[in-house]
Amino acid sequence: MKKITYVSNLDLSNTSGGMSGINSATYNQLKKHFEIRNYVMINPKQGFLSKGISKTRQIFRLQSKYHFFSEKRLQRIADIFRNKFDHNSELFFHGFTPWIKTKPKTKYYCFNDACFETYVTLYNDRKKFLDKDLKRIFDQEANWLSNATYVFFQSTWALEETKKAYNLSGENFVKVGVGGYIDIPDKDAYTGGFEFLFISREFEPKGGLVAVEAFKNIKKRYPSCQLNIIGAAPPESLQQTEGVNYLGFINKSIESEKDKLIDVFKKSFLVLHPTKKDVNPLILSELGYYGCPAISSNSFAIPEYVIDCKTGFLLSDENDSVELSEKMAYLINNSKEYLDMRFLARKNAIDNNTWDAVGDRIANSIVGDNSSSFNKI
Protein backbone atom coordinates (compact mmCIF):
# COMPACT_ATOMS: atom_id res chain seq x y z
CA MET A 1 0.00 0.00 0.00
CA LYS A 2 1.27 3.47 -0.91
CA LYS A 3 2.58 5.44 2.07
CA ILE A 4 1.61 9.09 2.42
CA THR A 5 2.44 11.83 4.92
CA TYR A 6 -0.32 14.40 5.29
CA VAL A 7 0.82 18.01 5.75
CA SER A 8 -1.54 20.74 6.94
CA ASN A 9 -1.63 24.08 8.73
CA LEU A 10 -4.79 23.07 10.63
CA ASP A 11 -5.44 21.05 13.76
CA LEU A 12 -6.98 17.72 12.76
CA SER A 13 -9.29 17.81 15.80
CA ASN A 14 -11.04 20.92 14.45
CA THR A 15 -13.93 19.62 12.34
CA SER A 16 -16.47 22.43 12.63
CA GLY A 17 -16.68 23.05 8.89
CA GLY A 18 -15.15 25.36 6.31
CA MET A 19 -11.46 24.75 5.68
CA SER A 20 -11.09 22.72 8.87
CA GLY A 21 -13.93 20.44 7.79
CA ILE A 22 -12.39 20.04 4.33
CA ASN A 23 -9.03 19.25 5.91
CA SER A 24 -10.49 16.57 8.17
CA ALA A 25 -12.61 15.04 5.41
CA THR A 26 -9.68 14.89 2.97
CA TYR A 27 -7.45 13.23 5.57
CA ASN A 28 -10.12 10.63 6.40
CA GLN A 29 -10.66 9.84 2.73
CA LEU A 30 -6.94 9.31 2.13
CA LYS A 31 -6.86 6.93 5.12
CA LYS A 32 -9.35 4.70 3.30
CA HIS A 33 -7.02 4.27 0.33
CA PHE A 34 -3.45 4.64 1.62
CA GLU A 35 -1.25 4.14 4.64
CA ILE A 36 -0.98 7.54 6.32
CA ARG A 37 2.46 7.52 7.91
CA ASN A 38 2.08 10.78 9.76
CA TYR A 39 -0.05 13.90 10.16
CA VAL A 40 2.24 16.93 10.18
CA MET A 41 0.78 20.24 11.31
CA ILE A 42 2.87 23.33 10.58
CA ASN A 43 1.48 26.77 11.36
CA PRO A 44 4.04 29.18 12.87
CA LYS A 45 2.82 32.51 14.17
CA GLN A 46 3.06 35.60 12.03
CA GLY A 47 6.02 37.85 12.66
CA PHE A 48 4.95 40.60 15.05
CA LEU A 49 7.15 43.21 13.39
CA SER A 50 6.11 42.51 9.79
CA LYS A 51 2.44 42.37 10.80
CA GLY A 52 2.77 45.67 12.68
CA ILE A 53 4.47 47.40 9.76
CA SER A 54 1.80 46.14 7.37
CA LYS A 55 -1.05 47.33 9.60
CA THR A 56 0.59 50.72 10.11
CA ARG A 57 1.02 51.25 6.38
CA GLN A 58 -2.61 50.34 5.79
CA ILE A 59 -3.72 52.88 8.42
CA PHE A 60 -1.91 55.57 6.42
CA ARG A 61 -3.35 54.12 3.17
CA LEU A 62 0.03 53.03 1.93
CA GLN A 63 0.54 49.79 0.02
CA SER A 64 2.00 47.06 2.21
CA LYS A 65 3.46 43.60 1.94
CA TYR A 66 1.28 40.51 2.36
CA HIS A 67 2.69 39.79 5.82
CA PHE A 68 0.92 36.44 6.39
CA PHE A 69 3.04 34.98 3.60
CA SER A 70 6.19 37.01 4.21
CA GLU A 71 9.47 35.50 3.02
CA LYS A 72 10.51 35.04 6.64
CA ARG A 73 7.36 33.12 7.60
CA LEU A 74 7.39 31.00 4.45
CA GLN A 75 11.03 30.12 5.10
CA ARG A 76 10.17 29.24 8.69
CA ILE A 77 7.49 26.86 7.41
CA ALA A 78 9.99 25.31 4.98
CA ASP A 79 12.56 24.85 7.76
CA ILE A 80 10.05 23.11 10.02
CA PHE A 81 8.91 20.94 7.12
CA ARG A 82 12.48 19.90 6.32
CA ASN A 83 13.02 18.75 9.93
CA LYS A 84 9.80 16.71 9.94
CA PHE A 85 10.01 15.35 6.41
CA ASP A 86 9.54 11.59 6.00
CA HIS A 87 11.73 10.41 3.11
CA ASN A 88 9.94 7.06 2.99
CA SER A 89 6.54 8.34 1.97
CA GLU A 90 4.92 10.56 -0.58
CA LEU A 91 3.35 13.84 0.55
CA PHE A 92 -0.14 15.28 0.46
CA PHE A 93 -0.49 18.98 1.25
CA HIS A 94 -3.69 20.66 2.42
CA GLY A 95 -3.72 23.95 0.51
CA PHE A 96 -1.06 25.56 -1.65
CA THR A 97 0.46 28.83 -0.50
CA PRO A 98 1.93 27.99 2.93
CA TRP A 99 4.14 25.34 1.34
CA ILE A 100 5.59 27.17 -1.65
CA LYS A 101 9.12 27.35 -0.24
CA THR A 102 9.23 23.65 0.68
CA LYS A 103 11.31 21.43 -1.56
CA PRO A 104 9.91 17.88 -1.34
CA LYS A 105 12.26 15.13 -2.49
CA THR A 106 9.47 12.67 -3.25
CA LYS A 107 6.21 12.86 -5.17
CA TYR A 108 3.78 15.34 -3.69
CA TYR A 109 0.12 16.18 -4.14
CA CYS A 110 -2.00 19.10 -2.99
CA PHE A 111 -5.68 20.02 -2.78
CA ASN A 112 -7.32 23.43 -2.57
CA ASP A 113 -10.29 25.49 -3.66
CA ALA A 114 -8.24 28.11 -5.54
CA CYS A 115 -4.76 29.51 -6.02
CA PHE A 116 -3.45 32.53 -4.13
CA GLU A 117 -3.96 34.92 -7.06
CA THR A 118 -7.65 33.98 -7.27
CA TYR A 119 -8.01 34.30 -3.50
CA VAL A 120 -6.46 37.77 -3.39
CA THR A 121 -8.57 38.96 -6.31
CA LEU A 122 -11.82 37.74 -4.73
CA TYR A 123 -11.34 38.37 -1.04
CA ASN A 124 -8.79 41.19 -0.72
CA ASP A 125 -8.35 44.65 -2.16
CA ARG A 126 -5.26 44.10 -4.30
CA LYS A 127 -4.59 47.83 -4.41
CA LYS A 128 -3.65 47.65 -0.71
CA PHE A 129 -0.65 45.44 -1.45
CA LEU A 130 2.60 46.06 -3.25
CA ASP A 131 2.52 44.52 -6.73
CA LYS A 132 6.10 43.36 -6.33
CA ASP A 133 5.27 41.53 -3.11
CA LEU A 134 2.22 39.80 -4.58
CA LYS A 135 4.26 38.79 -7.61
CA ARG A 136 6.84 37.26 -5.26
CA ILE A 137 4.16 34.92 -3.89
CA PHE A 138 2.52 34.27 -7.26
CA ASP A 139 5.80 33.25 -8.88
CA GLN A 140 6.77 30.87 -6.10
CA GLU A 141 3.33 29.28 -6.02
CA ALA A 142 3.33 28.80 -9.80
CA ASN A 143 6.69 27.03 -9.62
CA TRP A 144 5.64 24.85 -6.66
CA LEU A 145 2.40 23.81 -8.36
CA SER A 146 4.16 23.00 -11.62
CA ASN A 147 6.46 20.58 -9.77
CA ALA A 148 3.65 18.72 -7.97
CA THR A 149 2.72 15.26 -9.22
CA TYR A 150 -0.96 16.21 -9.08
CA VAL A 151 -2.71 19.43 -8.09
CA PHE A 152 -6.29 18.71 -7.08
CA PHE A 153 -8.95 21.40 -7.44
CA GLN A 154 -12.51 21.57 -6.21
CA SER A 155 -13.74 23.07 -9.48
CA THR A 156 -12.87 23.44 -13.14
CA TRP A 157 -13.37 27.19 -12.76
CA ALA A 158 -10.58 27.49 -10.15
CA LEU A 159 -8.37 25.15 -12.16
CA GLU A 160 -8.70 27.30 -15.28
CA GLU A 161 -8.23 30.52 -13.28
CA THR A 162 -4.94 29.14 -11.95
CA LYS A 163 -3.70 28.18 -15.40
CA LYS A 164 -4.51 31.65 -16.69
CA ALA A 165 -3.14 33.58 -13.70
CA TYR A 166 0.17 31.67 -13.57
CA ASN A 167 0.55 30.87 -17.28
CA LEU A 168 0.73 27.13 -16.59
CA SER A 169 -0.23 24.26 -18.88
CA GLY A 170 -2.07 22.50 -16.06
CA GLU A 171 -1.11 19.04 -17.29
CA ASN A 172 -0.89 17.93 -13.65
CA PHE A 173 -4.16 19.67 -12.63
CA VAL A 174 -7.22 17.56 -11.79
CA LYS A 175 -10.73 18.59 -10.78
CA VAL A 176 -12.06 16.28 -8.06
CA GLY A 177 -14.93 18.36 -6.61
CA VAL A 178 -15.73 18.84 -2.95
CA GLY A 179 -18.15 17.30 -0.49
CA GLY A 180 -20.41 18.90 2.08
CA TYR A 181 -19.71 18.62 5.77
CA ILE A 182 -23.02 17.41 7.14
CA ASP A 183 -24.83 14.08 7.52
CA ILE A 184 -26.51 12.83 4.34
CA PRO A 185 -30.13 11.82 5.11
CA ASP A 186 -31.68 8.60 3.89
CA LYS A 187 -34.40 10.50 2.06
CA ASP A 188 -35.82 13.93 1.33
CA ALA A 189 -37.95 14.75 4.39
CA TYR A 190 -39.53 17.95 3.06
CA THR A 191 -43.27 18.00 3.77
CA GLY A 192 -44.30 21.35 2.32
CA GLY A 193 -44.30 25.02 3.15
CA PHE A 194 -42.32 28.00 1.88
CA GLU A 195 -39.36 28.48 4.20
CA PHE A 196 -36.49 30.15 2.36
CA LEU A 197 -32.94 30.04 3.70
CA PHE A 198 -29.99 32.41 3.52
CA ILE A 199 -26.82 31.14 5.19
CA SER A 200 -23.38 32.73 5.14
CA ARG A 201 -20.52 34.00 7.29
CA GLU A 202 -20.74 37.33 5.48
CA PHE A 203 -24.10 38.98 5.04
CA GLU A 204 -23.81 41.72 2.41
CA PRO A 205 -21.01 40.29 0.17
CA LYS A 206 -22.84 36.96 -0.13
CA GLY A 207 -26.05 38.67 -1.25
CA GLY A 208 -27.96 39.06 2.00
CA LEU A 209 -29.44 42.46 1.15
CA VAL A 210 -30.66 41.19 -2.23
CA ALA A 211 -32.13 38.05 -0.64
CA VAL A 212 -34.09 40.03 1.96
CA GLU A 213 -35.36 42.51 -0.63
CA ALA A 214 -36.54 39.65 -2.87
CA PHE A 215 -38.19 38.01 0.13
CA LYS A 216 -40.09 41.23 0.92
CA ASN A 217 -41.53 41.15 -2.60
CA ILE A 218 -42.57 37.51 -2.19
CA LYS A 219 -44.04 38.05 1.29
CA LYS A 220 -46.52 40.57 -0.09
CA ARG A 221 -47.84 37.99 -2.56
CA TYR A 222 -47.52 34.86 -0.42
CA PRO A 223 -48.03 35.81 3.24
CA SER A 224 -47.15 32.36 4.63
CA CYS A 225 -43.53 32.60 3.40
CA GLN A 226 -40.66 32.75 5.89
CA LEU A 227 -36.96 33.57 5.50
CA ASN A 228 -34.51 31.95 7.90
CA ILE A 229 -31.08 33.59 8.13
CA ILE A 230 -28.13 31.68 9.60
CA GLY A 231 -24.62 33.04 10.12
CA ALA A 232 -23.65 36.69 9.94
CA ALA A 233 -26.30 39.01 11.33
CA PRO A 234 -28.27 41.24 8.99
CA PRO A 235 -28.75 44.91 9.97
CA GLU A 236 -31.14 45.32 12.91
CA SER A 237 -33.74 46.97 10.70
CA LEU A 238 -33.87 43.90 8.45
CA GLN A 239 -34.18 41.57 11.43
CA GLN A 240 -37.46 43.34 12.22
CA THR A 241 -38.86 42.53 8.76
CA GLU A 242 -42.02 40.47 8.98
CA GLY A 243 -41.27 36.82 8.23
CA VAL A 244 -37.49 37.16 8.69
CA ASN A 245 -36.07 34.87 11.38
CA TYR A 246 -32.43 35.40 12.33
CA LEU A 247 -31.12 32.18 13.89
CA GLY A 248 -27.52 33.28 14.53
CA PHE A 249 -24.43 31.19 13.95
CA ILE A 250 -24.80 27.42 14.28
CA ASN A 251 -21.79 25.27 15.17
CA LYS A 252 -22.08 21.87 13.50
CA SER A 253 -19.46 20.38 15.83
CA ILE A 254 -21.97 20.70 18.72
CA GLU A 255 -24.52 17.92 18.41
CA SER A 256 -27.54 19.90 19.59
CA GLU A 257 -26.75 22.77 17.21
CA LYS A 258 -26.15 20.38 14.32
CA ASP A 259 -29.58 18.84 14.96
CA LYS A 260 -31.09 22.33 14.85
CA LEU A 261 -29.39 23.01 11.53
CA ILE A 262 -30.56 19.71 10.05
CA ASP A 263 -34.12 20.53 11.08
CA VAL A 264 -33.88 23.84 9.19
CA PHE A 265 -32.44 22.08 6.15
CA LYS A 266 -35.28 19.54 6.08
CA LYS A 267 -37.89 22.30 6.03
CA SER A 268 -36.19 24.61 3.54
CA PHE A 269 -38.02 25.28 0.29
CA LEU A 270 -35.10 27.08 -1.39
CA VAL A 271 -31.65 28.33 -0.45
CA LEU A 272 -30.99 31.87 -1.69
CA HIS A 273 -27.35 32.62 -2.51
CA PRO A 274 -26.97 35.68 -4.78
CA THR A 275 -23.31 36.01 -3.84
CA LYS A 276 -20.92 38.65 -5.15
CA LYS A 277 -17.73 36.85 -4.09
CA ASP A 278 -17.23 33.13 -3.72
CA VAL A 279 -15.44 30.10 -5.07
CA ASN A 280 -17.73 27.09 -4.69
CA PRO A 281 -19.92 27.36 -1.57
CA LEU A 282 -20.29 24.07 0.27
CA ILE A 283 -23.74 25.07 1.45
CA LEU A 284 -25.19 24.41 -2.01
CA SER A 285 -24.16 20.74 -1.91
CA GLU A 286 -25.11 20.36 1.75
CA LEU A 287 -28.63 21.65 1.09
CA GLY A 288 -28.70 19.46 -2.02
CA TYR A 289 -28.34 16.34 0.14
CA TYR A 290 -31.67 17.33 1.70
CA GLY A 291 -33.30 17.94 -1.68
CA CYS A 292 -33.28 21.71 -1.36
CA PRO A 293 -32.74 23.53 -4.69
CA ALA A 294 -30.73 26.76 -4.89
CA ILE A 295 -31.07 30.10 -6.60
CA SER A 296 -27.57 31.47 -6.92
CA SER A 297 -25.16 33.57 -8.96
CA ASN A 298 -24.06 32.44 -12.40
CA SER A 299 -20.44 33.08 -11.41
CA PHE A 300 -17.34 31.46 -9.97
CA ALA A 301 -17.67 27.64 -9.70
CA ILE A 302 -21.36 27.79 -8.81
CA PRO A 303 -22.59 26.57 -12.26
CA GLU A 304 -20.66 23.35 -11.60
CA TYR A 305 -22.78 22.72 -8.51
CA VAL A 306 -26.13 24.26 -9.47
CA ILE A 307 -27.42 23.03 -12.82
CA ASP A 308 -29.62 25.80 -14.20
CA CYS A 309 -33.32 24.89 -14.49
CA LYS A 310 -32.62 21.36 -13.21
CA THR A 311 -31.25 21.54 -9.66
CA GLY A 312 -31.96 25.24 -9.19
CA PHE A 313 -31.73 28.55 -10.98
CA LEU A 314 -28.73 30.69 -11.89
CA LEU A 315 -29.21 34.46 -11.86
CA SER A 316 -28.22 36.65 -14.78
CA ASP A 317 -27.67 39.49 -12.30
CA GLU A 318 -26.98 38.65 -8.65
CA ASN A 319 -27.81 42.25 -7.69
CA ASP A 320 -31.32 42.12 -9.13
CA SER A 321 -33.80 41.35 -6.34
CA VAL A 322 -36.69 41.39 -8.83
CA GLU A 323 -35.16 38.59 -10.89
CA LEU A 324 -34.56 36.61 -7.71
CA SER A 325 -38.13 37.09 -6.46
CA GLU A 326 -39.55 36.10 -9.86
CA LYS A 327 -37.68 32.80 -9.75
CA MET A 328 -38.84 32.24 -6.17
CA ALA A 329 -42.44 32.89 -7.23
CA TYR A 330 -42.14 30.60 -10.25
CA LEU A 331 -41.29 27.61 -8.06
CA ILE A 332 -44.04 28.46 -5.59
CA ASN A 333 -46.53 28.40 -8.45
CA ASN A 334 -45.21 25.30 -10.25
CA SER A 335 -45.22 22.49 -7.74
CA LYS A 336 -44.50 19.65 -10.18
CA GLU A 337 -41.42 21.35 -11.60
CA TYR A 338 -40.34 22.21 -8.08
CA LEU A 339 -40.60 18.62 -6.85
CA ASP A 340 -38.70 17.41 -9.94
CA MET A 341 -36.02 19.96 -9.09
CA ARG A 342 -35.82 18.67 -5.52
CA PHE A 343 -35.27 15.14 -6.81
CA LEU A 344 -32.48 16.21 -9.18
CA ALA A 345 -30.83 18.50 -6.61
CA ARG A 346 -30.53 15.59 -4.21
CA LYS A 347 -29.44 13.12 -6.90
CA ASN A 348 -26.76 15.44 -8.26
CA ALA A 349 -25.37 16.21 -4.81
CA ILE A 350 -25.25 12.58 -3.71
CA ASP A 351 -23.95 11.24 -7.03
CA ASN A 352 -21.21 13.82 -7.49
CA ASN A 353 -20.54 16.01 -4.46
CA THR A 354 -19.84 13.74 -1.52
CA TRP A 355 -16.52 13.14 0.20
CA ASP A 356 -16.58 9.48 -0.80
CA ALA A 357 -16.75 10.55 -4.46
CA VAL A 358 -13.99 13.13 -3.97
CA GLY A 359 -11.80 10.61 -2.14
CA ASP A 360 -12.21 8.07 -4.94
CA ARG A 361 -11.23 10.63 -7.58
CA ILE A 362 -8.13 11.69 -5.66
CA ALA A 363 -7.08 8.11 -4.95
CA ASN A 364 -7.69 6.97 -8.52
CA SER A 365 -5.54 9.77 -9.88
CA ILE A 366 -2.72 8.94 -7.50
CA VAL A 367 -2.72 5.25 -8.42
CA GLY A 368 -3.26 5.93 -12.13
CA ASP A 369 -6.89 4.80 -12.43
CA ASN A 370 -9.20 7.52 -13.77
CA SER A 371 -12.36 5.43 -13.74
CA SER A 372 -14.16 7.63 -11.18
CA SER A 373 -15.88 10.57 -12.87
CA PHE A 374 -18.80 12.96 -12.56
CA ASN A 375 -22.32 11.78 -13.34
CA LYS A 376 -24.30 14.07 -15.63
CA ILE A 377 -27.85 15.05 -14.75
Side-chain angles (χ1 to χ4, degrees), residues 187-202:
K187 63 180 181 179
D188 181 355
Y190 174 74
T191 57
F194 304 119
E195 291 193 19
F196 298 94
L197 175 63
F198 177 83
I199 178 168
S200 179
R201 291 182 177 273
E202 298 178 277

Side-chain angles (χ1 to χ4, degrees), residues 46-57 67 70 72:
Q46 301 174 55
F48 178 78
L49 181 60
S50 62
K51 182 177 180 180
I53 292 173
S54 177
K55 292 294 184 183
T56 301
R57 292 183 66 88
H67 61 84
S70 67
K72 185 175 181 179

Side-chain angles (χ1 to χ4, degrees), residues 47 51 77 84 176 206 222 239 257-258 288 301 330 333 350:
K51 182 177 180 180
I77 291 171
K84 294 187 175 183
V176 294
K206 298 301 177 75
Y222 308 96
Q239 293 186 41
E257 293 195 28
K258 183 178 75 171
Y330 179 83
N333 292 322
I350 292 176

Side-chain angles (χ1 to χ4, degrees), residues 194-197 215 219 223-228 242-245:
F194 304 119
E195 291 193 19
F196 298 94
L197 175 63
F215 173 74
K219 184 71 173 176
S224 66
C225 291
Q226 300 288 308
L227 173 62
N228 297 317
E242 183 182 0
V244 171
N245 310 302

Side-chain angles (χ1 to χ4, degrees), residues 295-315:
I295 303 179
S296 191
S297 309
N298 189 15
S299 305
F300 319 112
I302 292 171
E304 298 176 46
Y305 291 86
V306 177
I307 304 172
D308 195 27
C309 300
K310 291 186 177 182
T311 71
F313 286 128
L314 297 173
L315 298 165

Side-chain angles (χ1 to χ4, degrees), residues 325-367:
S325 62
E326 287 176 350
K327 293 185 184 302
M328 293 161 68
Y330 179 83
L331 291 176
I332 289 174
N333 292 322
N334 293 273
S335 59
K336 183 182 184 306
E337 289 184 47
Y338 171 73
L339 292 175
D340 289 344
M341 192 172 280
R342 286 196 71 93
F343 173 80
L344 290 177
R346 177 170 160 84
K347 177 175 173 55
N348 182 57
I350 292 176
D351 284 355
N352 294 307
N353 307 321
T354 67
W355 278 111
D356 283 342
V358 174
D360 287 347
R361 294 181 193 120
I362 291 175
N364 289 343
S365 292
I366 290 175
V367 300

